Amino acid sequence: MAALTYSTLVTQIKNTMEDDSTEFSDSVPDFIRRAELRLTREMDSHALTQYATSRFTEGEAFLALPSNNLIVKNVNYLTSLATTSLEDGRSVGPSTRISLLLRTKEYLEDYWPVRTSTGLPKYYTHFRNDQILMAPAPASALDVELAYVVQPSALSVGNETNYYTTFCENALFYASMIEACYFNKNVTAVQIWDQQYQREIITLVNEARRNRRDDMSKPNSPAGGADTLIDGAN
């Protein structure tokens, strides 16, 4: 059972702020909601990643994203063609899983200027919040797997717990207190609670960094390339 719930969090905020006004009480759910949004944007936990399956449409360069998608982490598909060679020299056959490479929209348009021209998809870009654009457009219907970051189900009277109450209760409380102090126009207290929050979010980000270690010594980006992460203490 989670140590923190929505109800206990509301009580903690009210007790700590010592504000019994109706106006403040009515605003507490907004403090918590903004705190949850902040955590999602500042954390990089595997726990916020979900997977969904879809299917390419032959000749269609666009692919719809799940409605709860915030950040696309990976798009990969299964080939169904006979063994063929890719541009990078790899030989792929049926049921080979291929990950699309993220590029800019301008790059895709230069690489594959005729969207209706088909081939084996290689690149993708964010076209809108609800879809991606691929190049080339798929020559056949293929199975797709999407890895994407979601916003956990919002806390409420009807939803007492989520990932943040179970694993990030300190950060959730501190972020909520920042919002509460902004509401009460207490700038000095905002700075104090923000210091607490920043210290806690560093530990959460470091947990995610430790999960991404590829050789138990260096927290490299799983996407490859130069390391852009800061070493944390072991």
Side-chain angles (χ1 to χ4, degrees):
M1 181 177 180
L4 185 69
T5 66
Y6 175 76
S7 298
T8 57
L9 177 59
V10 169
T11 300
Q12 286 181 22
I13 295 171
K14 291 180 179 179
N15 289 345
T16 305
M17 291 298 296
E18 297 181 333
D19 189 334
D20 298 325
S21 68
T22 300
E23 183 182 38
F24 181 84
S25 180
D26 290 344
S27 298
V28 170
D30 294 329
F31 306 156
I32 296 173
R33 178 179 56 82
R34 287 195 288 269
E36 291 181 277
L37 291 173
R38 181 174 183 176
L39 282 170
T40 301
R41 291 187 171 99
E42 297 186 2
M43 288 176 57
D44 190 17
S45 172
H46 289 301
L48 303 182
T49 301
Q50 287 190 7
Y51 297 86
T53 57
S54 184
R55 194 167 176 82
F56 288 151
T57 299
E58 180 179 346
E60 177 56 66
F62 295 95
L63 178 69
L65 297 172
S67 60
N68 60 342
N69 164 72
L70 289 180
I71 302 169
V72 176
K73 299 193 71 171
N74 177 258
V75 182
N76 65 75
Y77 64 92
L78 290 175
T79 61
S80 62
L81 305 174
T83 301
T84 186
S85 295
L86 302 180
E87 292 180 12
D88 59 10
R90 287 184 298 159
S91 181
V92 299
S95 298
T96 298
R97 191 171 293 279
I98 297 178
S99 289
L100 297 182
L101 301 176
L102 177 62
R103 295 290 187 269
T104 64
K105 178 175 176 289
E106 291 76 15
Y107 186 99
L108 264 68
E109 290 172 343
D110 182 63
Y111 171 76
W112 206 264
V114 181
R115 289 180 182 172
T116 56
S117 183
T118 62
L120 203 59
K122 181 176 182 180
Y123 301 113
Y124 81 96
T125 191
H126 301 284
F127 193 80
R128 298 189 317 198
N129 287 337
D130 59 352
Q131 63 183 2
I132 60 173
L133 171 65
M134 299 171 290
S140 60
L142 301 170
D143 291 327
V144 185
E145 182 182 73
L146 296 161
Y148 60 101
V149 175
V150 299
Q151 177 73 37
S153 55
L155 293 168
S156 65
V157 174
N159 184 46
E160 286 282 338
T161 61
N162 63 11
Y163 176 77
Y164 295 140
T165 58
T166 304
F167 296 101
C168 314
E169 63 174 275
N170 287 342
L172 177 61
F173 174 66
Y174 298 152
S176 299
M177 287 300 298
I178 292 170
E179 298 298 330
C181 291
Y182 273 126
F183 180 85
N184 278 358
K185 300 178 178 61
N186 190 337
V187 178
T188 301
V190 166
Q191 295 173 352
I192 294 173
W193 287 110
D194 191 62
Q195 289 175 357
Q196 294 288 92
Y197 173 80
Q198 293 300 334
R199 184 164 53 203
E200 188 68 21
I201 200 69
I202 286 174
T203 65
L204 294 172
V205 170
N206 191 54
E207 285 181 2
R209 183 163 54 233
R210 290 164 66 187
N211 266 324
R212 291 196 296 271
R213 290 183 185 273
D214 59 3
D215 59 4
M216 299 305 293
S217 63
K218 190 70 173 176
N220 290 325
S221 166
D227 173 41
T228 57
L229 300 173
I230 300 172
D231 283 318
N234 291 323

